[in-house]
Amino acid sequence: MTPAELLSRLTVPAVASPMFLVSGPDLVVEACRGGVLGAFPALNQRTSEGVDAWLSEIEERLEAARRAGEAPAPYAVNLIVHGSNQRIDRDLEIVAAHKVLVVITSLGIRPDVIETVQGYGGLVFHDVIQTRHARKAAAAGVDGLIAVCAGAGGHAGLLNPFAFVDEIRSFYEGLIILAGAISDGRHVAAARLMGADLAYMGTRFIATEESLADPAYKQMILEAGAADIVYTPEISGVAANFLKESLARNGLDGSGAPPETLDFGEREAKAWRDVWSAGHGVAGVRDVPTTAALCARLAAEYAGAAERLGFRAAA
Ligand SMILES: Cc1cc2nc3c(=O)[nH]c(=O)nc-3n(C[C@H](O)[C@H](O)[C@H](O)COP(=O)(O)O)c2cc1C
């Protein structure tokens, strides 16, 4: 699949981005049926065999949608390419066996991962928060760079999106996927206007019926504004954005010492289960719709914005 073919299969040029302990098959399938690229982190399953089972389930459900005359978008799996992720090799084998069309890599570049995915015809997107990392990933031949900018949920960067997209474009011809507080279809259109090919939306999709987040987590997002988000390395060792209220409920304020090492085993799972992450985009999240309703709304807002601004809405 080429990047152009991928874009042509989306109704909205957006990704429902992979979120630890939040994204599962229901969210992925409904996003794809809504014309948005759905995604989940492999680590959301406790074992590689569990990932295999989720992939089979997602494919069966998307195939059923196709038989019913729908044209669902492709989906993606996120692999954490970090030394502490002991499952990466087995997870990659499973992803390759299923020929997952898009693989999103985080926290490290491994040429063999890129080769494997591109070898079966898939695309690799890699997320970056700094130009130095973007250059390294571009040199390694990834198909898309995810520019994770200031205010994004999860492990966010600090760069301004206008500056970061332009800087990446100065040396990179592949897809640019913009992340950070993108909450509605107007924002998706804005991302396109400023030079990105796709929008990457996390926080907005936490507050959907299909997300695996605790109902109290969704409610906290509805009540929060941008000032209620704290950027801190205290929870996982790498700076990330968390809900101030959730930190407080755990007796924290974000000023404590971070763990010395990153650990994508049990510790990280406990940390993210107890302390809830979200980005500045909480300010624009005011309801908990079904993923189908959210995707339909995104499509209408995106098409409306494109028409007003005079550009073609098709991805
Ligand atoms: C709760 C939560 C968990 C996340 N987990 C992951 C993850 O496991 N892998 C990953 O690549 N990104 C992860 N992210 C980052 C998102 O994929 C995405 O970059 C970010 O949410 C985009 O910014 P936004 O939340 O402002 O839309 C996570 C984000 C949140 C909010």
Side-chain angles (χ1 to χ4, degrees), residues 16-23 40-44 78-80 104-107 127 146 148-156 178-183 200-206 217 221 241-242 264 272 275-282:
S17 71
M19 289 181 284
F20 192 44
L21 309 182
V22 170
S23 325
F40 74 92
L43 290 178
N44 274 2
N78 168 229
L79 298 176
I80 303 286
I104 296 169
T105 55
S106 311
L107 292 163
D127 62 17
I146 305 164
V148 185
C149 294
H155 292 139
L178 178 63
I182 298 177
S183 301
Y200 203 64
M201 305 174 71
T203 296
R204 173 58 269 194
F205 280 90
I206 301 174
Y217 184 177
I221 285 178
N241 277 313
F242 294 93
F264 283 91
W272 290 74
V275 186
W276 298 333
S277 171
H280 293 177
V282 289

Side-chain angles (χ1 to χ4, degrees), residues 78-83 88 104-114 124-128 133 136-137 140 142 262 264:
N78 168 229
L79 298 176
I80 303 286
V81 185
H82 186 266
I88 173 80
I104 296 169
T105 55
S106 311
L107 292 163
I109 282 279
R110 257 182 45 185
D112 60 316
V113 175
I114 300 171
V124 178
F125 294 174
H126 183 70
D127 62 17
V128 291
H133 299 151
K136 213 172 142 191
V142 299
L262 260 182
F264 283 91

Side-chain angles (χ1 to χ4, degrees), residues 8-61:
S8 74
R9 290 177 59 185
L10 304 176
T11 313
V12 188
V15 181
S17 71
M19 289 181 284
F20 192 44
L21 309 182
V22 170
S23 325
D26 290 345
L27 183 47
V28 171
V29 168
E30 290 306 302
C32 294
R33 292 182 64 203
V36 168
L37 194 132
F40 74 92
L43 290 178
N44 274 2
Q45 268 286 17
R46 292 186 71 84
T47 61
S48 298
E49 289 61 44
V51 175
D52 195 15
W54 269 11
L55 290 175
S56 298
E57 179 191 337
I58 289 168
E59 279 151 24
E60 275 163 29
R61 289 169 66 179

Side-chain angles (χ1 to χ4, degrees), residues 94-110:
I94 287 165
V95 160
H98 284 268
K99 294 191 163 55
V100 174
L101 281 179
V102 181
V103 173
I104 296 169
T105 55
S106 311
L107 292 163
I109 282 279
R110 257 182 45 185

